[in-house]
Each structure stands twice: as structure tokens, then as C-alpha cells.
Amino acid sequence: MSEVRQRIARRALAPGAKAPSIRAFATAMGVSKSTVVEAYDRLAAEGVIQPRRGSGFYVAGHTPPLALSELEPRRDRSIDPLWVSRQSLEAGPDALKPGCGWLPVSWMPEEGIRRGLRTLARADAQNLTDYGPPLGSPALRQLLARRMAEHSVEASPNQIMLTESGTQAIDLVCRFLLEPGDTVLVDDPCYFNFHAMLRAHRVKVVGVPCTQTGPDVEAFADVLAEHSPRLYITNSGPQNPTGASLSPVTAHRILKLAERHDLLIVEDDIYADFEHEPAPRLAAFDGLDRVISIGSFSKTLSAAARCGYIAARPAWIEGLIDLKVATSFGGGHLAAELVLAILKDGGHRRYLDSLRERLARARGETSARLVALGLTPWTQPTAGMFLWCVLPDGLDSGEVAQRALAQGVVLAPGNAFSLSQSAGSYLRFNAAQSADPRVYEVLSSAMDGAAARRPAA
């Protein structure tokens, strides 16, 4: 029954379409015909499908509104990507959020933002009230081109298009490159909103295991040969959620495989400002041929000033501009001007240097506290905010997260990030959000509670 619902939700079965025959569906699902008859009868009773004498069953009514939760088998809410995101976003001011993916408010460059706002208040009225050009602010794109060059990514300002966020950048690229039913490759584990985003585009998603130096190259090759994915979406460094960084050797091998299998790559570079020494970038080795680089400023500048970008080959930028105009028209001109004012401020680089040092201390302190509770970091990141840690004794991170949430602490369980659901004993910790001793008190209590429920050996 759930399979039919998912096909309808994915629009694989449109209104008026004939449902699979009872015999064919029973064979495909490996169940008896009587089981399918019972399921079809229930769906017919609910009005989801309609029987036609001598013809079979047909999808009823109009196309239902898109419901992301119906596009794949239901997960426990503690590991559902959308639910985990909502818990972090909806948590009250007193909640602790070591599982969220952003810096604390007190770590953000508030004074730089206020200076930027004052600068913006003195700007021409056009900057405050009018639509911006389709590509976005020329001055900000020029600055972005110089910043990307620091990571060995060569892009002219005309190869860069501003967006309203990094999320919108991925959405536009998916609209541009993908059709429903295409296959997309992601890291396993990866940023959980990739899963939700790709669900909305109704594509097939397959995963490739992560290593400490990037995707497992042998597994990557096997997946390409078996599934022929159209697109690969990844972070190069530091990767979310593991904190691992791509090595030059892995980058070279991945690009060779991509060329051989005509695979396109989206490289999400949202964490670039966290690095002292830039890790290798696929876009740098590739020259923005089959790699599209995207990024935003929400992690190190402001999540409230929504501004991102796409850097791609010139021919693709033209098509992406049309999509941007069709879906959001002028874009976030005011936010882009604010970002530009902040980035040009002389204090911004000093802020980033201080932030990197602060994060390095926080990672070390958080790692030591977690190890003292019996958790083991999967790797020791050299940059960023994330620590990917395995719980002791095979404890279930979803249950631990549920118990912690009941005490006002939002954790990020591993299977929210894992397409294969193979990270059930992992948690992702944000070192910048983990300074409060209560995080570890609640975590210890939640682990004890989860352990007490396990059957005796």
C-alpha cells in the first residue's frame, strides 16, 4: 500500500493512470496476490484509487499537493531530515543546539553587520528599493572571483551568478540539469538537506561511502557503472557532517571517473571561510568544466542576509539566469549589497582569522569532553565546526537524540545524514554550540537511559 502511495506522491502514477495489475504488482513486490488485493481494497476505500469492472484499478482525483514525507518510506522522526532541521530552527532561546549546523549568535560578526547596515543606509536609493541585475551585483561578483582565486578556482565575474542562498543555488542547478527519474549521487553520510532537496526534484538518489580523504573511489566507480548518475553533489572541505577534507589524489581520481562516465558535479563550498589552508577543490582541478561551484555567506557572516552564488561554465550561466528570473525575478539585491559592504570592511578578515582559532580550540575541547563520555571521533578535522562521533556500545543515536530533546538539547543523529541508514550509532556535534556543560550532562543521561533499555546479554 505504501509503495502505491509513494508512486502517486512522486507523480509516477498520475490521476487517471492505471495501477499495476494485481498479478504484476504481487510479483514485483514478492508478496501474494491476496495481499495486493487487500491493499488495493483499502486504497479504494480511502478514495486513493478506483476500481473499474473488468479493467483494473486507476488513480483517482487530481494530482495531490507535493508531500516530501510521502516520497520515500517513512523514517522515525528522530532521523527524518526535515524534522531534524525543524527542531533546530524552532528550538526556543533556552534550548541547547549542539546538533545544529550554524554558529551561535554571539560568534557572528555583529559589529561588522551593523557597520555594513550603516553603509547601506547611506547608499543610493536604487540600491535600497530597486531590482538588481540578473547576474547580481557586479562589484560583489568581482570580489567573489578574487576570493575563489585564493582557492585556485579561476572564474571570471561573468561566470558567477548571485542567488538568494546556497539552498536556492542547488535548487536552480537541479532544475537546470535534472529531470524527474534521473539518478543523483551523494556522499554517505552527507548534509541531510541534500536528501530533502533531491526528494522534491523526484530523482533517484544513490550514496557512496565517505572516507577521511573524500568518497571511496572504488565504490564511486562501481556506482557510476551500475547506476549511471547524472549528477554528484558534495562538499569538498570540510565535509558535512564528518569534517573530512578531500585529498588531491582522491580529487584527481574522482574527476577522471566523472569524465569517463559523463558525470556532472556540484561542489558546495559553503564552509570555505573556515579553513586556514584551503583543501583541494574539484572546481580548481576541473576549471569549471563539468564542476559547478556554489556557496553562500550564512555560516560565517549572517544567516539572516540570504545571499549565495553559482560559478559555472559561461554557457550554463545563461540558462541559469533565465531560471532565476522565472522563479525569483530580481533576487536579493539588498542582501547582496549588505554582504558586499561587510566583505569590504577591513575588519572582516581579522574576524575570520579569530573565528578559525576559536573553532580550533572548541573542536579540541569538545572532542576531549566527548571522549570522556565514551564517544569516539571518526576523524580529527583540521577546520570547521563539526565532529562526527560514534557512540559507545552500539547505542542508537536516534533514541539518544529523542531522550536529549525531551531535556531541551537538540542533537543530530547519524542516520539523518545517511542514505543507507548505516550511521545509527553516530552523532554530529557542532563544537561551537557545545560549550555549555549541560550538553554533556544531558548527553550522559540520554546515553544511560538508552543503555538501560537494551536487553541483557
Side-chain angles (χ1 to χ4, degrees), residues 435-446:
D436 194 312
R438 186 164 168 264
V439 168
Y440 306 96
E441 295 168 7
V442 170
L443 175 61
S444 178
S445 172

Side-chain angles (χ1 to χ4, degrees), residues 84 88 96 98-99 400-401 404-405 409-413 427-429 439 443 446:
V84 172
S88 294
L96 300 176
V400 171
L405 185 61
V409 175
V410 180
L411 297 176
L427 286 165
R428 185 195 72 179
F429 289 91
V439 168
L443 175 61

Side-chain angles (χ1 to χ4, degrees), residues 177-428:
L177 293 176
L178 299 175
E179 296 286 344
D182 282 348
T183 299
V184 177
L185 178 60
V186 297
D187 299 317
D188 191 354
C190 72
Y191 172 43
F192 50 62
N193 209 46
F194 287 168
H195 299 163
M197 171 79 72
L198 293 170
R199 247 191 275 171
H201 285 279
R202 298 176 213 132
V203 296
K204 177 183 177 183
V205 186
V206 295
V208 61
C210 288
T211 74
Q212 280 86 350
T213 58
D216 183 307
V217 176
E218 289 187 9
F220 198 94
D222 290 343
V223 169
L224 295 187
E226 181 178 355
H227 296 283
S228 300
R230 167 72 169 159
L231 194 66
Y232 170 46
I233 302 180
T234 186
N235 302 119
S236 282
Q239 197 258 3
N240 181 9
T242 66
S245 294
L246 186 68
S247 74
V249 171
T250 300
H252 177 74
R253 291 175 177 172
I254 292 301
L255 286 172
K256 283 289 188 184
L257 287 167
E259 182 179 11
R260 187 180 309 156
H261 292 271
D262 196 24
L263 176 73
L264 303 175
I265 300 174
V266 174
E267 186 171 45
D268 183 0
D269 209 9
I270 195 171
Y271 302 108
D273 279 343
F274 288 136
E275 295 177 297
H276 280 290
E277 295 294 331
R281 297 294 191 270
L282 293 168
F285 288 109
D286 171 74
L288 293 178
D289 179 21
R290 63 178 57 256
V291 177
I292 296 175
S293 180
I294 67 170
S296 85
F297 306 95
S298 61
K299 302 304 180 185
T300 56
L301 197 156
S302 171
R306 305 296 285 161
C307 183
Y309 64 88
I310 299 171
R313 62 170 81 164
W316 286 354
I317 290 294
E318 284 299 310
L320 288 163
I321 289 173
D322 288 344
L323 270 176
K324 177 185 172 183
V325 171
T327 56
S328 63
F329 204 68
H333 187 43
L334 193 64
E337 291 301 317
L338 175 59
V339 168
L340 176 62
I342 297 170
L343 294 181
K344 289 171 62 178
D345 188 293
H348 188 66
R349 285 191 179 271
R350 292 192 296 274
Y351 157 73
L352 288 179
D353 288 339
S354 174
L355 174 62
R356 293 166 190 144
E357 295 296 335
R358 193 173 185 182
L359 278 171
R361 290 193 299 271
R363 288 195 307 273
E365 292 166 2
T366 302
S367 180
R369 287 176 163 181
L370 293 172
V371 167
L373 291 181
L375 289 88
T376 305
W378 181 72
T379 190
Q380 290 293 344
T382 58
M385 62 181 109
F386 297 132
L387 292 168
W388 183 241
C389 300
V390 64
L391 288 160
D393 305 321
L395 291 177
D396 180 74
S397 59
E399 182 178 354
V400 171
Q402 285 181 321
R403 290 177 175 275
L405 185 61
Q407 300 181 64
V409 175
V410 180
L411 297 176
N415 273 345
F417 304 87
S418 175
L419 188 69
S420 65
Q421 297 294 278
S422 58
S425 59
Y426 285 83
L427 286 165
R428 185 195 72 179

Side-chain angles (χ1 to χ4, degrees), residues 126-127 131-146 155-162 307 324 330 333 336-337 340 344:
Q126 183 176 9
N127 287 340
Y131 291 110
L135 270 178
S137 161
L140 180 53
R141 290 186 288 110
Q142 183 74 48
L143 189 149
L144 282 172
R146 292 197 296 268
S156 73
N158 288 335
Q159 285 181 263
I160 301 171
M161 183 183 79
L162 301 186
C307 183
K324 177 185 172 183
H333 187 43
E337 291 301 317
L340 176 62
K344 289 171 62 178

